[in-house]
């Protein structure tokens, strides 16, 4: 975001010399005001959020950095200090991965989403349906990015204006305020987006993608009634076919389990946490505790792992980067129903849907307490290697201190449940405060 600030400052300087030098824009560039006048250019601007390197790099790092910080993965090579700090759950305020991938890249995505939201809202020349879809997509990405930020850092600056001079120097907003914005954006996206996908491979978000992420947000904020309701919208959708795929085909780009996926730039998944260079060559592997947690006969262990290597993606082509899928919605609804304690049979049914696909018998859990334990276990073996699910689960259920403290007793501090605000950002923005447990 600060780069945008410097750009604006440079623009002001040059504009003051306008009487001496008149510099036109490059012939292959559009002014922001012009980009949202036509359907094609507005669509191109929003699609850039999907395809931008900062989007894929940020998502990849949100996964394996959270994986090694929790009890999910091991970093075996230990050649990069910035990753080793995460593996030790002792992240420094100068950590390069922290500032680049977990902070700067996400705020770059948010800046693009904000510019798009402003341009689309102001436009009076776009086709109504196109404008609605693009606005919904932009709000989805802003919400998704803030979801990751608030889970890693807690309170963060809530940049919404698209003006780098305003957004670049904001203080941290409370976590509650960030969650409220996430939910507001996703409710808007749900109403703005069509049910039908654009194209056949579910690579652009639809209303059910917004519902799926909204169900997750409600679960994390303990609004269990709404979490159940939103997950039910996806599970019970009649206009889109969402079904649990066989574990061997769940991550193919044609899978009916997929709710939203991002097309990679290569012929297979480009995310380094599943199936590509880093996993293939053993830099990140499943922890012994997670490997041992699979039940006998679980197809996920045989299909999605090999000698502790994560093989959810097979590097065989025909695989995109799956962001949202149906199995999580069953587990969200099962947990919400168990928490509400009014439909334990329904929670069992949802849990058994995921277990049956994995080749496992029906759950024996029948009480609220045992069902919540069973759901936590199922999330652990179903969602591993995907977007810090395990790390976020340990934090939201207040188990991180016990689990990680036992696993990493010499380096763990209870304050490590929140990452530090990068020192480089605090130097640029004096309004940023630091999380507890880190140098002020």
């Amino acid at each position: 975001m600060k780069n945008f600030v410097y750009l604006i400052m440079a623009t002001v300087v040059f504009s003051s010399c306008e009487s001496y030098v008149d510099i036109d824009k490059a012939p292959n560039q559009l002014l922001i005001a012009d980009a949202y006048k036509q359907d094609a250019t507005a669509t191109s601007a929003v699609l850039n959020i999907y395809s931008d390197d900062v989007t894929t790099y940020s998502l990849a790092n949100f996964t394996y950095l959270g994986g090694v910080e929790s009890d999910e993965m091991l970093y075996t090579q230990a050649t990069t200090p910035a990753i080793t700090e995460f593996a030790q759950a002792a992240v420094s305020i100068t950590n390069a991965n922290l500032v680049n991938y977990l902070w700067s890249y996400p705020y770059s995505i948010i800046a693009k989403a904000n510019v798009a939201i402003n341009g689309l809202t102001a436009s009076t020349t776009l086709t109504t349906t196109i404008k609605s879809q693009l606005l919904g997509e932009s709000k989805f990405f802003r919400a998704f990015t803030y979801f990751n930020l608030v889970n890693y850092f807690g309170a963060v600056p809530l940049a919404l204006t698209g003006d780098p001079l305003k957004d670049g120097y904001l203080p941290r907003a409370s976590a509650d305020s960030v969650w409220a914005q996430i939910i507001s954006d996703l409710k808007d996206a749900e109403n703005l987006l069509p049910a039908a996908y654009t194209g056949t491979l579910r690579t652009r978000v639809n209303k059910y993608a917004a519902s799926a992420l909204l169900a997750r947000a409600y679960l994390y904020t303990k609004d269990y009634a709404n979490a159940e309701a939103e997950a039910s919208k996806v599970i019970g959708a009649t206009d889109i076919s969402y079904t649990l795929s066989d574990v061997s085909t769940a991550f193919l780009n044609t899978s009916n389990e997929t709710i939203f996926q991002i097309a990679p730039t290569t012929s297979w998944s480009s995310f380094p946490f599943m199936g590509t260079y880093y996993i293939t060559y053993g830099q990140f592997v499943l922890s012994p505790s997670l490997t041992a947690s699979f039940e006998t006969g679980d197809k996920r262990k045989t299909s999605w792992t090999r000698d502790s290597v994560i093989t959810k993606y097979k590097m065989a082509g025909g695989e995109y980067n799956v962001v949202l899928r149906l199995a999580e919605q069953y587990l969200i609804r099962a947990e919400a129903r168990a928490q509400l304690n009014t439909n334990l049979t329904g929670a069992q049914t949802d849990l058994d849907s995921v277990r049956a696909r994995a080749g496992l018998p029906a759950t024996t859990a029948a009480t609220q307490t045992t069902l919540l334990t069973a759901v936590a276990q199922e999330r652990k073996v179903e969602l591993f290697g995907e977007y810090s699910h395990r790390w976020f689960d340990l934090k939201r259920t207040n188990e991180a201190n016990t689990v990680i403290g036992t696993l990493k007793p010499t380096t763990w501090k209870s304050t490590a449940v929140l990452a530090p605000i990068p020192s480089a950002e605090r130097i640029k923005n004096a309004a940023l405060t630091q999380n507890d447990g880190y140098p002020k």
Side-chain angles (χ1 to χ4, degrees), residues 1 5 44 58 79 88 109 112 127 143 177 181 184 246-247 249 268 279 287 295 333 348 350 374 394 396 398:
M1 292 180 66
V5 173
S44 179
S58 180
T79 55
Q88 295 172 342
I109 298 168
K112 288 188 176 185
T127 303
S177 298
Q181 185 63 48
S184 175
D246 185 85
V247 292
T249 60
W268 54 73
I279 293 300
S287 68
E295 296 175 48
R333 193 168 72 173
Q348 289 175 313
D350 286 339
L394 288 173
R396 71 181 177 86
N398 298 316

Side-chain angles (χ1 to χ4, degrees), residues 268-325:
W268 54 73
S269 169
S270 61
F271 289 3
F273 54 87
M274 296 185 215
T276 50
Y277 178 84
Y278 294 102
I279 293 300
T280 302
Y281 292 95
Q283 286 199 36
F284 303 100
V285 299
L286 285 182
S287 68
S289 62
L290 196 143
T291 301
S293 66
F294 287 98
E295 296 175 48
T296 301
D298 194 327
K299 293 180 181 179
R300 292 169 294 198
K301 183 176 183 179
T302 55
S303 183
W304 292 352
T305 74
R306 185 185 68 254
D307 299 327
S308 296
V309 173
I310 300 173
T311 58
K312 280 184 168 179
Y313 290 97
K314 311 301 183 186
M315 291 186 68
E319 295 165 338
Y320 287 179
N321 304 304
V322 178
V323 179
L324 295 166
R325 57 191 182 92

Side-chain angles (χ1 to χ4, degrees), residues 98-399:
L98 174 82
V99 65
N100 291 327
Y101 301 129
L102 301 192
W103 186 278
S104 296
Y105 279 15
Y107 272 109
S108 177
I109 298 168
I110 289 167
K112 288 188 176 185
N114 285 338
V115 169
I117 290 167
N118 289 343
L120 292 163
T121 302
S123 178
T124 59
T125 56
L126 295 176
T127 303
T128 301
T129 55
I130 296 294
K131 178 177 179 177
S132 177
Q133 179 175 358
L134 296 178
L135 192 56
E137 289 173 296
S138 301
K139 291 200 170 191
F140 173 91
F141 269 100
R142 185 168 70 180
F144 184 45
T145 307
Y146 271 123
F147 174 88
N148 289 320
L149 283 167
V150 75
N151 274 288
Y152 263 100
F153 297 99
V156 293
L158 196 53
L160 301 173
T161 70
D163 181 345
L165 289 175
K166 293 179 180 179
D167 289 346
Y169 297 98
L170 291 170
R172 299 166 70 191
S174 68
D176 286 345
S177 298
V178 179
W179 280 114
Q181 185 63 48
I182 291 167
I183 289 170
S184 175
D185 276 347
L186 290 173
K187 289 168 72 173
D188 287 346
E190 190 178 44
N191 291 327
L192 289 163
L193 289 164
Y197 286 99
T198 301
T200 59
L201 293 179
R202 303 180 180 182
T203 54
R204 290 177 65 178
V205 293
N206 69 343
K207 69 178 295 181
Y208 293 115
S211 299
L213 188 55
L214 187 53
R216 188 193 296 177
Y218 279 134
L219 182 75
Y220 276 51
T221 53
K222 304 186 188 312
D223 185 346
Y224 300 119
N226 275 319
E228 178 186 16
E230 293 299 325
S232 293
K233 289 180 183 179
V234 182
I235 295 168
T238 57
D239 42 359
I240 300 291
S241 175
Y242 295 117
T243 56
L244 292 174
S245 302
D246 185 85
V247 292
S248 64
T249 60
F251 292 91
L252 292 180
N253 59 22
T254 55
S255 171
N256 281 337
E257 183 172 345
T258 297
I259 301 168
F260 169 51
Q261 60 190 347
I262 296 177
T265 55
T266 61
S267 59
W268 54 73
S269 169
S270 61
F271 289 3
F273 54 87
M274 296 185 215
T276 50
Y277 178 84
Y278 294 102
I279 293 300
T280 302
Y281 292 95
Q283 286 199 36
F284 303 100
V285 299
L286 285 182
S287 68
S289 62
L290 196 143
T291 301
S293 66
F294 287 98
E295 296 175 48
T296 301
D298 194 327
K299 293 180 181 179
R300 292 169 294 198
K301 183 176 183 179
T302 55
S303 183
W304 292 352
T305 74
R306 185 185 68 254
D307 299 327
S308 296
V309 173
I310 300 173
T311 58
K312 280 184 168 179
Y313 290 97
K314 311 301 183 186
M315 291 186 68
E319 295 165 338
Y320 287 179
N321 304 304
V322 178
V323 179
L324 295 166
R325 57 191 182 92
L326 185 63
E328 183 198 358
Q329 297 302 301
Y330 276 111
L331 295 175
I332 287 174
R333 193 168 72 173
E335 183 175 344
R337 286 173 166 175
Q339 289 284 6
L340 291 168
N341 203 22
T342 56
N343 186 5
L344 297 184
T345 300
Q348 289 175 313
T349 300
D350 286 339
L351 195 57
D352 287 343
S353 295
V354 177
R355 289 177 59 81
R357 188 267 292 273
L360 297 176
T363 183
T364 58
T367 66
Q368 181 186 45
T369 300
T370 57
L371 275 167
L372 288 173
T373 300
V375 171
Q377 160 64 16
E378 212 61 40
R379 288 180 65 88
K380 185 178 180 180
V381 295
E382 176 69 34
L383 301 174
F384 67 88
E386 298 179 53
Y387 309 103
S388 293
H389 276 294
R390 177 62 178 167
W391 180 225
F392 293 170
D393 281 349
L394 288 173
K395 295 202 292 182
R396 71 181 177 86
T397 58
N398 298 316
E399 293 181 354

